[in-house]
Amino acid sequence: MIYRGKLKGGVVVLDEQVDLPDGTEVRIEPVVVNQPTPEPPTLAEQFAEFIGIAPELPVDMADQHDHYLHGTPKQ
């Protein structure tokens, strides 16, 4: 069974009354509550080292990549 409580003045105070005999071995595990999770990096942050690395590409390369890579008509 799991009992919950809080640490107060260096002593664990349980949320409910528990009748355990003296000498009972217990295990204490801290529970992290409401810890903010870090925001994942954006695509721009992930690929920042590559941004602007190929300045000789056409300005419409992103929109017309099929035309430049595969020869399809421009959209």
Side-chain angles (χ1 to χ4, degrees), residues 8-69:
K8 293 182 182 175
V11 176
V12 176
V13 178
L14 299 176
D15 292 340
E16 58 189 67
Q17 180 65 34
V18 177
D19 189 25
L20 297 173
D22 284 344
T24 300
E25 190 171 319
V26 297
R27 180 177 68 181
I28 307 293
E29 277 186 39
V31 177
V32 179
V33 180
N34 295 331
Q35 176 130 358
T37 56
E39 289 290 323
T42 64
L43 284 176
E45 291 168 341
Q46 291 179 42
F47 296 103
E49 65 183 289
F50 302 108
I51 294 174
I53 201 167
E56 67 278 354
L57 294 177
V59 294
D60 62 347
M61 180 68 183
D63 293 327
Q64 303 296 333
H65 63 278
D66 283 340
H67 169 72
Y68 293 112
L69 294 174

